[in-house]
Amino acid sequence: MKLSHFQFDLPKELLAEFPAENRDEARLMVIDRKKQTIEHKMFKDVIDYFDDGDVMILNNTKVFPARLYGNKEKTGARIEVFLLRELNAEQRLWDVLVDPARKIRIGNKLYFGDDDSLVAEVIDNTTSRGRTLRFLYDGSYEEFRNKLTELGETPIPKYINREVTPEDAERYQTIYAKEEGAVAAPTAGLHFSKHLLKKLEIKGVNFAEVTLHVGLGTFNPVEVEDLSKHKMDSEELKITQEACDIVNEAKVKRKRICAVGTTSMRAIESSVSSHNTLNPFEGWTNKFIFPPHDFSVATCMITNFHTPKSTLLMMISAFCGHDLMKKAYEEAIKEKYKFYSYGDAMLII
């Protein structure tokens, strides 16, 4: 498969600027790979496709308010700082992206907050927009982290061309988010309401939680025509023994195992035994899934509608089958489904 196989024209108005009014009332396209059929439902209808003993794999990562705005010393220029990952807690070193990058050099200081209570010094260049910052703050580590939370805002994707609202802090977060560390939400999970999760639980569906801290690498454009040459950024991953037991038991019983989102799918495909069972894991993964790929654990998946040429679309193509995926996307555009982070959902069975 080549990069050009994943190009399609996506009308701008189909990029969702706001979430559905209620989480579980987004639209749901159901794709049956065996029957090669496409159905149109509401997300809450997902319950009709699962029974007692089936398993849903959820990514319980929690988005932190990763976008900060500071001012450059002397010039006072406004600089956006996007926190990517903490490198060293003790020294308060962070990997960040800065914008505009051309103004930010090693040795520069940036001031945050009305009272300049937080200062950062640029100590290294990592990529064209990437920098390493050392934060200087008079207080304990816990107070420093609280300060970052207070000054940061919800990192809704750049394509959403509006100010961040207080609602985003809640809606750009799954209701089962626990482990802080993501700079982007695992968006398929945004459609689950407390009510829907409870109904699934009552029906006997089990939940296995994994943690994959979504980084911006997920959204990095692929710039090589030969997909085998694309390198994914590494993301931190944790799969517990408890999650493995839930999934592997369902596998033995031939129950339906559903990966909720591309991040859950990437997580489980990163740690599979030779017998195609799920193994515990703690570390980093840079797994890139594109066609052809044999999936080892999940028998179905829930995902959003992705943008052209994205690595997420490539994974969907590998799972769904390329021709059926193309047909589904043509149908989604015709039926005006909403795309991307706050968009509608797809269930592939």
Side-chain angles (χ1 to χ4, degrees), residues 160-292:
I160 296 180
N161 209 355
R162 60 171 173 80
E163 291 294 308
V164 173
T165 66
E167 183 195 34
D168 288 315
E170 183 213 342
R171 291 300 301 271
Y172 196 62
Q173 195 81 273
T174 63
I175 57 166
Y176 47 78
K178 287 191 188 82
E179 305 291 335
E180 193 172 81
V183 299
T187 52
L190 298 179
H191 301 293
F192 286 90
S193 61
K194 284 197 170 82
H195 183 63
L196 180 58
L197 277 184
K198 196 75 203 154
K199 281 171 75 175
L200 285 161
E201 206 180 298
I202 290 165
K203 205 171 178 185
V205 174
N206 294 317
F207 300 100
E209 293 188 9
V210 298
T211 306
L212 181 87
H213 290 318
V214 191
L216 284 185
T218 298
F219 310 108
N220 275 355
V222 179
E223 288 167 343
V224 285
E225 185 63 13
D226 177 353
L227 300 185
S228 65
K229 293 191 164 53
H230 177 68
K231 294 278 182 287
M232 288 287 277
D233 276 7
S234 290
E235 294 171 319
E236 203 172 348
L237 168 63
K238 186 177 183 187
I239 302 174
T240 62
Q241 184 63 57
E242 184 190 357
C244 295
D245 293 344
I246 293 168
V247 170
N248 293 335
E249 187 186 344
K251 210 168 158 55
V252 169
K253 292 179 176 169
R254 297 190 175 280
K255 295 291 184 183
R256 188 165 265 182
I257 298 169
C258 181
V260 176
T262 54
T263 61
S264 297
M265 184 68 91
R266 193 157 70 253
I268 58 178
E269 286 294 307
S270 296
S271 188
V272 178
S273 75
S274 53
H275 304 297
N276 284 349
T277 55
L278 188 59
N279 280 346
F281 185 89
E282 193 159 351
W284 295 78
T285 177
N286 63 353
K287 183 94 178 157
F288 173 33
I289 298 172
F290 60 96

Side-chain angles (χ1 to χ4, degrees), residues 8 305-306 313 325-333 339:
F8 63 93
F305 289 91
H306 307 293
L313 184 62
M325 182 274 291
K326 277 185 76 166
K327 189 175 148 197
Y329 268 60
E330 280 161 19
E331 180 95 352
I333 290 167
F339 277 65

Side-chain angles (χ1 to χ4, degrees), residues 46-171:
V46 82
I47 193 163
D48 300 337
Y49 296 86
F50 294 91
D51 284 313
D52 187 27
D54 290 343
V55 169
M56 284 187 169
I57 300 169
L58 310 175
N59 181 5
N60 67 11
T61 187
K62 189 174 185 179
V63 180
F64 65 93
R67 192 173 275 131
L68 304 171
Y69 293 96
N71 298 97
K72 191 179 166 190
E73 63 177 337
K74 294 181 183 140
T75 67
R78 188 175 194 245
I79 306 293
E80 178 190 309
V81 172
F82 196 100
L83 303 173
L84 289 178
R85 61 175 72 113
E86 187 175 50
L87 299 173
N88 185 309
E90 207 179 318
Q91 293 182 38
R92 297 179 190 175
L93 293 183
W94 281 75
D95 227 348
V96 306
L97 295 177
V98 292
D99 195 20
R102 65 183 186 282
K103 297 182 174 180
I104 304 301
R105 299 193 172 90
I106 294 172
N108 286 161
K109 282 200 170 76
L110 301 171
Y111 293 85
F112 302 90
D114 296 337
D115 54 357
D116 295 345
S117 55
L118 182 64
V119 183
E121 185 181 1
V122 182
I123 61 168
D124 199 8
N125 292 337
T126 50
T127 60
S128 58
R129 285 180 58 214
R131 302 289 184 271
T132 303
L133 296 188
R134 178 187 285 120
F135 283 98
L136 312 167
Y137 182 72
D138 209 10
S140 66
Y141 177 72
E142 197 180 335
E143 289 166 332
F144 162 65
R145 287 304 298 246
N146 289 341
K147 193 71 181 171
L148 285 185
T149 302
E150 176 199 319
L151 293 172
E153 67 176 36
T154 304
I156 60 171
K158 276 281 199 206
Y159 81 87
I160 296 180
N161 209 355
R162 60 171 173 80
E163 291 294 308
V164 173
T165 66
E167 183 195 34
D168 288 315
E170 183 213 342
R171 291 300 301 271

